[in-house]
mmCIF file of all heavy atoms in Angstrom:
data_model
loop_
_atom_site.group_PDB
_atom_site.id
_atom_site.type_symbol
_atom_site.label_atom_id
_atom_site.label_comp_id
_atom_site.label_asym_id
_atom_site.label_seq_id
_atom_site.Cartn_x
_atom_site.Cartn_y
_atom_site.Cartn_z
ATOM 1 N N PHE V 179 13.507 -29.178 2.654
ATOM 2 C CA PHE V 179 13.399 -27.730 2.590
ATOM 3 C C PHE V 179 12.012 -27.350 2.071
ATOM 4 O O PHE V 179 11.395 -28.097 1.317
ATOM 5 C CB PHE V 179 14.457 -27.134 1.648
ATOM 6 C CG PHE V 179 15.870 -27.315 2.115
ATOM 7 C CD1 PHE V 179 16.579 -28.462 1.795
ATOM 8 C CD2 PHE V 179 16.488 -26.339 2.873
ATOM 9 C CE1 PHE V 179 17.884 -28.640 2.221
ATOM 10 C CE2 PHE V 179 17.794 -26.507 3.311
ATOM 11 C CZ PHE V 179 18.497 -27.664 2.981
ATOM 12 N N GLY V 180 11.546 -26.189 2.473
ATOM 13 C CA GLY V 180 10.292 -25.682 1.959
ATOM 14 C C GLY V 180 10.463 -24.240 1.506
ATOM 15 O O GLY V 180 11.276 -23.494 2.071
ATOM 16 N N THR V 181 9.749 -23.837 0.472
ATOM 17 C CA THR V 181 9.770 -22.446 0.028
ATOM 18 C C THR V 181 8.344 -21.908 0.039
ATOM 19 O O THR V 181 7.386 -22.657 -0.102
ATOM 20 C CB THR V 181 10.338 -22.314 -1.402
ATOM 21 O OG1 THR V 181 9.401 -22.870 -2.338
ATOM 22 C CG2 THR V 181 11.670 -23.048 -1.533
ATOM 23 N N GLY V 182 8.221 -20.610 0.229
ATOM 24 C CA GLY V 182 6.894 -20.009 0.245
ATOM 25 C C GLY V 182 6.978 -18.494 0.274
ATOM 26 O O GLY V 182 8.035 -17.928 0.568
ATOM 27 N N ASN V 183 5.869 -17.854 -0.009
ATOM 28 C CA ASN V 183 5.816 -16.392 -0.049
ATOM 29 C C ASN V 183 5.134 -15.772 1.155
ATOM 30 O O ASN V 183 5.246 -14.570 1.369
ATOM 31 C CB ASN V 183 5.079 -15.937 -1.319
ATOM 32 C CG ASN V 183 5.859 -16.233 -2.587
ATOM 33 O OD1 ASN V 183 6.960 -15.728 -2.777
ATOM 34 N ND2 ASN V 183 5.301 -17.061 -3.449
ATOM 35 N N THR V 184 4.413 -16.576 1.936
ATOM 36 C CA THR V 184 3.616 -15.990 3.022
ATOM 37 C C THR V 184 4.079 -16.437 4.408
ATOM 38 O O THR V 184 3.404 -16.171 5.394
ATOM 39 C CB THR V 184 2.132 -16.349 2.866
ATOM 40 O OG1 THR V 184 1.934 -17.745 3.159
ATOM 41 C CG2 THR V 184 1.630 -16.066 1.461
ATOM 42 N N VAL V 185 5.219 -17.109 4.495
ATOM 43 C CA VAL V 185 5.768 -17.607 5.758
ATOM 44 C C VAL V 185 4.745 -18.467 6.498
ATOM 45 O O VAL V 185 4.684 -18.468 7.720
ATOM 46 C CB VAL V 185 6.253 -16.444 6.664
ATOM 47 C CG1 VAL V 185 7.283 -16.944 7.672
ATOM 48 C CG2 VAL V 185 6.852 -15.317 5.857
ATOM 49 N N GLY V 186 3.913 -19.150 5.734
ATOM 50 C CA GLY V 186 2.924 -20.042 6.336
ATOM 51 C C GLY V 186 1.749 -19.344 6.977
ATOM 52 O O GLY V 186 0.948 -19.991 7.662
ATOM 53 N N GLN V 187 1.622 -18.037 6.766
ATOM 54 C CA GLN V 187 0.563 -17.276 7.439
ATOM 55 C C GLN V 187 -0.672 -17.065 6.583
ATOM 56 O O GLN V 187 -1.639 -16.436 7.018
ATOM 57 C CB GLN V 187 1.112 -15.910 7.880
ATOM 58 C CG GLN V 187 2.321 -15.997 8.786
ATOM 59 C CD GLN V 187 2.076 -16.843 10.019
ATOM 60 O OE1 GLN V 187 1.078 -16.655 10.711
ATOM 61 N NE2 GLN V 187 2.966 -17.786 10.282
ATOM 62 N N GLY V 188 -0.657 -17.539 5.347
ATOM 63 C CA GLY V 188 -1.793 -17.329 4.459
ATOM 64 C C GLY V 188 -1.687 -16.008 3.719
ATOM 65 O O GLY V 188 -0.803 -15.191 3.978
ATOM 66 N N ASP V 189 -2.594 -15.793 2.791
ATOM 67 C CA ASP V 189 -2.558 -14.622 1.923
ATOM 68 C C ASP V 189 -3.573 -13.594 2.390
ATOM 69 O O ASP V 189 -4.770 -13.750 2.192
ATOM 70 C CB ASP V 189 -2.856 -15.059 0.483
ATOM 71 C CG ASP V 189 -2.803 -13.903 -0.490
ATOM 72 O OD1 ASP V 189 -2.210 -12.869 -0.145
ATOM 73 O OD2 ASP V 189 -3.356 -14.033 -1.593
ATOM 74 N N GLU V 190 -3.089 -12.521 3.016
ATOM 75 C CA GLU V 190 -3.979 -11.494 3.537
ATOM 76 C C GLU V 190 -4.237 -10.371 2.535
ATOM 77 O O GLU V 190 -5.178 -9.605 2.694
ATOM 78 C CB GLU V 190 -3.388 -10.887 4.820
ATOM 79 C CG GLU V 190 -3.258 -11.884 5.968
ATOM 80 C CD GLU V 190 -2.654 -11.248 7.207
ATOM 81 O OE1 GLU V 190 -2.149 -10.113 7.088
ATOM 82 O OE2 GLU V 190 -2.689 -11.864 8.275
ATOM 83 N N GLN V 191 -3.376 -10.262 1.492
ATOM 84 C CA GLN V 191 -3.461 -9.119 0.591
ATOM 85 C C GLN V 191 -3.865 -9.501 -0.830
ATOM 86 O O GLN V 191 -3.887 -8.652 -1.712
ATOM 87 C CB GLN V 191 -2.117 -8.386 0.573
ATOM 88 C CG GLN V 191 -1.746 -7.836 1.956
ATOM 89 C CD GLN V 191 -0.339 -7.286 1.999
ATOM 90 O OE1 GLN V 191 0.518 -7.698 1.226
ATOM 91 N NE2 GLN V 191 -0.099 -6.356 2.900
ATOM 92 N N GLY V 192 -4.168 -10.772 -1.048
ATOM 93 C CA GLY V 192 -4.649 -11.183 -2.358
ATOM 94 C C GLY V 192 -3.585 -11.368 -3.414
ATOM 95 O O GLY V 192 -3.903 -11.467 -4.596
ATOM 96 N N MET V 193 -2.307 -11.422 -3.024
ATOM 97 C CA MET V 193 -1.245 -11.575 -4.011
ATOM 98 C C MET V 193 -0.948 -13.038 -4.313
ATOM 99 O O MET V 193 -0.383 -13.356 -5.355
ATOM 100 C CB MET V 193 0.038 -10.883 -3.527
ATOM 101 C CG MET V 193 -0.061 -9.372 -3.492
ATOM 102 S SD MET V 193 1.545 -8.579 -3.250
ATOM 103 C CE MET V 193 1.993 -9.179 -1.620
ATOM 104 N N TYR V 194 -1.311 -13.929 -3.389
ATOM 105 C CA TYR V 194 -0.998 -15.354 -3.567
ATOM 106 C C TYR V 194 -2.259 -16.167 -3.304
ATOM 107 O O TYR V 194 -2.379 -16.863 -2.292
ATOM 108 C CB TYR V 194 0.138 -15.779 -2.629
ATOM 109 C CG TYR V 194 1.376 -14.907 -2.763
ATOM 110 C CD1 TYR V 194 1.672 -13.934 -1.817
ATOM 111 C CD2 TYR V 194 2.219 -15.042 -3.859
ATOM 112 C CE1 TYR V 194 2.786 -13.123 -1.946
ATOM 113 C CE2 TYR V 194 3.334 -14.239 -4.007
ATOM 114 C CZ TYR V 194 3.621 -13.284 -3.045
ATOM 115 O OH TYR V 194 4.722 -12.474 -3.183
ATOM 116 N N GLN V 195 -3.220 -16.028 -4.213
ATOM 117 C CA GLN V 195 -4.505 -16.700 -4.053
ATOM 118 C C GLN V 195 -4.316 -18.209 -3.905
ATOM 119 O O GLN V 195 -3.600 -18.834 -4.684
ATOM 120 C CB GLN V 195 -5.396 -16.418 -5.270
ATOM 121 C CG GLN V 195 -5.878 -14.976 -5.361
ATOM 122 C CD GLN V 195 -6.900 -14.642 -4.290
ATOM 123 O OE1 GLN V 195 -7.566 -15.520 -3.772
ATOM 124 N NE2 GLN V 195 -7.014 -13.371 -3.959
ATOM 125 N N GLY V 196 -4.962 -18.778 -2.883
ATOM 126 C CA GLY V 196 -4.882 -20.211 -2.649
ATOM 127 C C GLY V 196 -3.915 -20.597 -1.548
ATOM 128 O O GLY V 196 -3.927 -21.737 -1.080
ATOM 129 N N ALA V 197 -3.071 -19.656 -1.108
ATOM 130 C CA ALA V 197 -2.152 -19.950 -0.010
ATOM 131 C C ALA V 197 -2.948 -20.141 1.274
ATOM 132 O O ALA V 197 -3.885 -19.387 1.556
ATOM 133 C CB ALA V 197 -1.138 -18.823 0.159
ATOM 134 N N ARG V 198 -2.585 -21.168 2.043
ATOM 135 C CA ARG V 198 -3.326 -21.497 3.263
ATOM 136 C C ARG V 198 -2.498 -21.149 4.496
ATOM 137 O O ARG V 198 -1.288 -21.390 4.516
ATOM 138 C CB ARG V 198 -3.636 -22.996 3.315
ATOM 139 C CG ARG V 198 -4.539 -23.528 2.222
ATOM 140 C CD ARG V 198 -4.684 -25.027 2.381
ATOM 141 N NE ARG V 198 -5.690 -25.593 1.516
ATOM 142 C CZ ARG V 198 -5.452 -26.040 0.288
ATOM 143 N NH1 ARG V 198 -4.233 -25.988 -0.205
ATOM 144 N NH2 ARG V 198 -6.426 -26.546 -0.443
ATOM 145 N N PRO V 199 -3.140 -20.650 5.548
ATOM 146 C CA PRO V 199 -2.425 -20.531 6.825
ATOM 147 C C PRO V 199 -2.061 -21.939 7.315
ATOM 148 O O PRO V 199 -2.927 -22.812 7.376
ATOM 149 C CB PRO V 199 -3.443 -19.860 7.752
ATOM 150 C CG PRO V 199 -4.452 -19.234 6.834
ATOM 151 C CD PRO V 199 -4.500 -20.108 5.633
ATOM 152 N N GLN V 200 -0.798 -22.159 7.623
ATOM 153 C CA GLN V 200 -0.347 -23.466 8.073
ATOM 154 C C GLN V 200 -0.374 -23.531 9.599
ATOM 155 O O GLN V 200 -0.206 -22.514 10.277
ATOM 156 C CB GLN V 200 1.065 -23.747 7.555
ATOM 157 C CG GLN V 200 1.186 -23.716 6.037
ATOM 158 C CD GLN V 200 0.363 -24.811 5.371
ATOM 159 O OE1 GLN V 200 0.271 -25.928 5.868
ATOM 160 N NE2 GLN V 200 -0.236 -24.480 4.222
ATOM 161 N N SER V 201 -0.563 -24.723 10.137
ATOM 162 C CA SER V 201 -0.647 -24.878 11.588
ATOM 163 C C SER V 201 0.707 -24.594 12.234
ATOM 164 O O SER V 201 1.765 -24.835 11.645
ATOM 165 C CB SER V 201 -1.096 -26.297 11.952
ATOM 166 O OG SER V 201 -0.045 -27.223 11.742
ATOM 167 N N LEU V 202 0.647 -24.058 13.440
ATOM 168 C CA LEU V 202 1.879 -23.752 14.171
ATOM 169 C C LEU V 202 2.684 -25.026 14.426
ATOM 170 O O LEU V 202 3.918 -25.012 14.408
ATOM 171 C CB LEU V 202 1.540 -23.059 15.495
ATOM 172 C CG LEU V 202 2.739 -22.572 16.320
ATOM 173 C CD1 LEU V 202 3.551 -21.559 15.522
ATOM 174 C CD2 LEU V 202 2.250 -21.954 17.626
ATOM 175 N N ALA V 203 2.000 -26.143 14.655
ATOM 176 C CA ALA V 203 2.689 -27.420 14.887
ATOM 177 C C ALA V 203 3.532 -27.802 13.669
ATOM 178 O O ALA V 203 4.649 -28.315 13.804
ATOM 179 C CB ALA V 203 1.671 -28.519 15.178
ATOM 180 N N PHE V 204 3.010 -27.530 12.491
ATOM 181 C CA PHE V 204 3.743 -27.826 11.255
ATOM 182 C C PHE V 204 4.915 -26.866 11.082
ATOM 183 O O PHE V 204 6.052 -27.277 10.829
ATOM 184 C CB PHE V 204 2.776 -27.721 10.078
ATOM 185 C CG PHE V 204 3.385 -27.980 8.730
ATOM 186 C CD1 PHE V 204 4.098 -29.138 8.477
ATOM 187 C CD2 PHE V 204 3.235 -27.056 7.714
ATOM 188 C CE1 PHE V 204 4.656 -29.382 7.227
ATOM 189 C CE2 PHE V 204 3.771 -27.289 6.455
ATOM 190 C CZ PHE V 204 4.491 -28.456 6.218
ATOM 191 N N LEU V 205 4.671 -25.567 11.270
ATOM 192 C CA LEU V 205 5.719 -24.568 11.072
ATOM 193 C C LEU V 205 6.845 -24.713 12.089
ATOM 194 O O LEU V 205 8.013 -24.460 11.774
ATOM 195 C CB LEU V 205 5.113 -23.161 11.154
ATOM 196 C CG LEU V 205 4.062 -22.815 10.089
ATOM 197 C CD1 LEU V 205 3.487 -21.427 10.350
ATOM 198 C CD2 LEU V 205 4.654 -22.900 8.695
ATOM 199 N N ASP V 206 6.507 -25.114 13.306
ATOM 200 C CA ASP V 206 7.526 -25.277 14.355
ATOM 201 C C ASP V 206 8.541 -26.362 14.023
ATOM 202 O O ASP V 206 9.639 -26.384 14.587
ATOM 203 C CB ASP V 206 6.866 -25.614 15.696
ATOM 204 C CG ASP V 206 6.399 -24.366 16.422
ATOM 205 O OD1 ASP V 206 6.755 -23.255 15.983
ATOM 206 O OD2 ASP V 206 5.675 -24.499 17.422
ATOM 207 N N ARG V 207 8.183 -27.253 13.129
ATOM 208 C CA ARG V 207 9.090 -28.351 12.795
ATOM 209 C C ARG V 207 10.140 -27.949 11.761
ATOM 210 O O ARG V 207 11.040 -28.729 11.464
ATOM 211 C CB ARG V 207 8.275 -29.555 12.321
ATOM 212 C CG ARG V 207 7.603 -30.271 13.495
ATOM 213 C CD ARG V 207 6.554 -31.275 13.051
ATOM 214 N NE ARG V 207 6.119 -32.118 14.154
ATOM 215 C CZ ARG V 207 5.236 -31.766 15.082
ATOM 216 N NH1 ARG V 207 4.703 -30.559 15.063
ATOM 217 N NH2 ARG V 207 4.887 -32.596 16.053
ATOM 218 N N PHE V 208 10.024 -26.735 11.228
ATOM 219 C CA PHE V 208 11.103 -26.176 10.417
ATOM 220 C C PHE V 208 12.015 -25.399 11.355
ATOM 221 O O PHE V 208 11.632 -24.372 11.907
ATOM 222 C CB PHE V 208 10.541 -25.256 9.327
ATOM 223 C CG PHE V 208 9.866 -25.999 8.209
ATOM 224 C CD1 PHE V 208 8.505 -26.269 8.259
ATOM 225 C CD2 PHE V 208 10.600 -26.440 7.114
ATOM 226 C CE1 PHE V 208 7.883 -26.960 7.229
ATOM 227 C CE2 PHE V 208 9.982 -27.129 6.086
ATOM 228 C CZ PHE V 208 8.622 -27.393 6.141
ATOM 229 N N THR V 209 13.212 -25.893 11.554
ATOM 230 C CA THR V 209 14.085 -25.348 12.594
ATOM 231 C C THR V 209 14.898 -24.141 12.139
ATOM 232 O O THR V 209 15.361 -23.360 12.965
ATOM 233 C CB THR V 209 15.051 -26.429 13.098
ATOM 234 O OG1 THR V 209 15.773 -26.973 11.980
ATOM 235 C CG2 THR V 209 14.284 -27.565 13.771
ATOM 236 N N ILE V 210 15.109 -23.990 10.845
ATOM 237 C CA ILE V 210 15.888 -22.858 10.326
ATOM 238 C C ILE V 210 15.063 -22.146 9.263
ATOM 239 O O ILE V 210 14.550 -22.770 8.341
ATOM 240 C CB ILE V 210 17.230 -23.324 9.724
ATOM 241 C CG1 ILE V 210 18.101 -23.981 10.801
ATOM 242 C CG2 ILE V 210 17.968 -22.150 9.081
ATOM 243 C CD1 ILE V 210 19.400 -24.549 10.276
ATOM 244 N N TRP V 211 14.954 -20.821 9.403
ATOM 245 C CA TRP V 211 14.202 -20.005 8.444
ATOM 246 C C TRP V 211 15.162 -19.000 7.805
ATOM 247 O O TRP V 211 16.038 -18.444 8.478
ATOM 248 C CB TRP V 211 13.074 -19.252 9.139
ATOM 249 C CG TRP V 211 11.996 -20.161 9.661
ATOM 250 C CD1 TRP V 211 12.077 -21.026 10.718
ATOM 251 C CD2 TRP V 211 10.680 -20.314 9.126
ATOM 252 N NE1 TRP V 211 10.893 -21.698 10.881
ATOM 253 C CE2 TRP V 211 10.013 -21.277 9.913
ATOM 254 C CE3 TRP V 211 10.003 -19.718 8.073
ATOM 255 C CZ2 TRP V 211 8.710 -21.668 9.686
ATOM 256 C CZ3 TRP V 211 8.692 -20.096 7.830
ATOM 257 C CH2 TRP V 211 8.053 -21.059 8.624
ATOM 258 N N ALA V 212 15.004 -18.755 6.539
ATOM 259 C CA ALA V 212 15.869 -17.799 5.840
ATOM 260 C C ALA V 212 15.030 -16.947 4.898
ATOM 261 O O ALA V 212 14.282 -17.480 4.064
ATOM 262 C CB ALA V 212 16.954 -18.533 5.054
ATOM 263 N N LYS V 213 15.141 -15.650 5.026
ATOM 264 C CA LYS V 213 14.443 -14.736 4.127
ATOM 265 C C LYS V 213 15.355 -14.431 2.949
ATOM 266 O O LYS V 213 16.480 -13.950 3.135
ATOM 267 C CB LYS V 213 14.074 -13.444 4.860
ATOM 268 C CG LYS V 213 13.242 -12.492 4.008
ATOM 269 C CD LYS V 213 12.807 -11.284 4.817
ATOM 270 C CE LYS V 213 11.934 -10.358 3.968
ATOM 271 N NZ LYS V 213 11.469 -9.178 4.749
ATOM 272 N N VAL V 214 14.889 -14.716 1.760
ATOM 273 C CA VAL V 214 15.695 -14.496 0.558
ATOM 274 C C VAL V 214 15.402 -13.098 0.028
ATOM 275 O O VAL V 214 14.254 -12.787 -0.311
ATOM 276 C CB VAL V 214 15.380 -15.551 -0.528
ATOM 277 C CG1 VAL V 214 16.221 -15.300 -1.775
ATOM 278 C CG2 VAL V 214 15.640 -16.951 0.018
ATOM 279 N N PRO V 215 16.405 -12.229 -0.045
ATOM 280 C CA PRO V 215 16.159 -10.850 -0.507
ATOM 281 C C PRO V 215 15.923 -10.799 -2.017
ATOM 282 O O PRO V 215 16.232 -11.751 -2.747
ATOM 283 C CB PRO V 215 17.457 -10.123 -0.135
ATOM 284 C CG PRO V 215 18.506 -11.196 -0.190
ATOM 285 C CD PRO V 215 17.820 -12.448 0.299
ATOM 286 N N TYR V 216 15.396 -9.677 -2.471
ATOM 287 C CA TYR V 216 15.233 -9.469 -3.902
ATOM 288 C C TYR V 216 16.610 -9.305 -4.554
ATOM 289 O O TYR V 216 17.590 -8.944 -3.893
ATOM 290 C CB TYR V 216 14.371 -8.236 -4.170
ATOM 291 C CG TYR V 216 12.915 -8.437 -3.825
ATOM 292 C CD1 TYR V 216 12.384 -7.969 -2.624
ATOM 293 C CD2 TYR V 216 12.068 -9.119 -4.686
ATOM 294 C CE1 TYR V 216 11.043 -8.164 -2.297
ATOM 295 C CE2 TYR V 216 10.729 -9.324 -4.376
ATOM 296 C CZ TYR V 216 10.229 -8.840 -3.187
ATOM 297 O OH TYR V 216 8.908 -9.055 -2.860
ATOM 298 N N LEU V 217 16.671 -9.571 -5.846
ATOM 299 C CA LEU V 217 17.925 -9.429 -6.573
ATOM 300 C C LEU V 217 18.415 -7.987 -6.506
ATOM 301 O O LEU V 217 17.624 -7.049 -6.569
ATOM 302 C CB LEU V 217 17.739 -9.824 -8.039
ATOM 303 C CG LEU V 217 17.267 -11.256 -8.335
ATOM 304 C CD1 LEU V 217 17.136 -11.449 -9.849
ATOM 305 C CD2 LEU V 217 18.216 -12.276 -7.759
ATOM 306 N N ASN V 218 19.745 -7.824 -6.382
ATOM 307 C CA ASN V 218 20.287 -6.469 -6.405
ATOM 308 C C ASN V 218 20.438 -5.987 -7.853
ATOM 309 O O ASN V 218 20.155 -6.726 -8.803
ATOM 310 C CB ASN V 218 21.621 -6.394 -5.651
ATOM 311 C CG ASN V 218 22.678 -7.326 -6.244
ATOM 312 O OD1 ASN V 218 22.761 -7.493 -7.474
ATOM 313 N ND2 ASN V 218 23.500 -7.916 -5.390
ATOM 314 N N ASP V 219 20.891 -4.749 -8.024
ATOM 315 C CA ASP V 219 20.969 -4.161 -9.363
ATOM 316 C C ASP V 219 21.841 -4.990 -10.306
ATOM 317 O O ASP V 219 21.478 -5.210 -11.468
ATOM 318 C CB ASP V 219 21.513 -2.740 -9.281
ATOM 319 C CG ASP V 219 20.482 -1.760 -8.739
ATOM 320 O OD1 ASP V 219 19.380 -2.212 -8.375
ATOM 321 O OD2 ASP V 219 20.775 -0.551 -8.674
ATOM 322 N N LYS V 220 22.983 -5.431 -9.820
ATOM 323 C CA LYS V 220 23.898 -6.199 -10.679
ATOM 324 C C LYS V 220 23.281 -7.533 -11.088
ATOM 325 O O LYS V 220 23.384 -7.953 -12.246
ATOM 326 C CB LYS V 220 25.230 -6.440 -9.972
ATOM 327 C CG LYS V 220 26.256 -7.182 -10.841
ATOM 328 C CD LYS V 220 27.551 -7.427 -10.113
ATOM 329 C CE LYS V 220 28.576 -8.077 -11.042
ATOM 330 N NZ LYS V 220 28.070 -9.281 -11.709
ATOM 331 N N GLN V 221 22.645 -8.190 -10.153
ATOM 332 C CA GLN V 221 22.018 -9.477 -10.455
ATOM 333 C C GLN V 221 20.884 -9.307 -11.464
ATOM 334 O O GLN V 221 20.718 -10.132 -12.360
ATOM 335 C CB GLN V 221 21.497 -10.113 -9.164
ATOM 336 C CG GLN V 221 22.598 -10.576 -8.227
ATOM 337 C CD GLN V 221 22.072 -10.971 -6.858
ATOM 338 O OE1 GLN V 221 21.097 -10.399 -6.366
ATOM 339 N NE2 GLN V 221 22.713 -11.942 -6.232
ATOM 340 N N ARG V 222 20.106 -8.235 -11.322
ATOM 341 C CA ARG V 222 19.025 -7.984 -12.281
ATOM 342 C C ARG V 222 19.579 -7.627 -13.654
ATOM 343 O O ARG V 222 19.035 -8.034 -14.685
ATOM 344 C CB ARG V 222 18.099 -6.883 -11.758
ATOM 345 C CG ARG V 222 17.102 -7.386 -10.720
ATOM 346 C CD ARG V 222 16.242 -6.266 -10.184
ATOM 347 N NE ARG V 222 16.893 -5.619 -9.050
ATOM 348 C CZ ARG V 222 16.818 -4.327 -8.783
ATOM 349 N NH1 ARG V 222 16.148 -3.517 -9.577
ATOM 350 N NH2 ARG V 222 17.410 -3.823 -7.723
#
């Protein structure tokens, strides 16, 4: 499994300095993608 904040696209807005755009060949080898939502009010 892999986790990340930029979906492998790199940091365009300066929030995750050092994040690199990953190659499409690498990203294509992850077969399932899941977006994790922010915590809801009860969880917070």
Side-chain angles (χ1 to χ4, degrees):
F179 295 87
T181 70
N183 292 298
T184 71
V185 202
Q187 303 305 311
D189 181 19
E190 296 179 349
Q191 298 172 334
M193 291 192 296
Y194 306 103
Q195 291 289 336
R198 296 177 171 90
Q200 301 296 322
S201 74
L202 185 60
F204 179 53
L205 297 176
D206 276 350
R207 284 168 169 80
F208 287 91
T209 55
I210 298 176
W211 293 71
K213 185 175 182 179
V214 180
Y216 289 99
L217 300 180
N218 59 38
D219 286 3
K220 183 181 184 307
Q221 291 170 327
R222 280 178 273 145

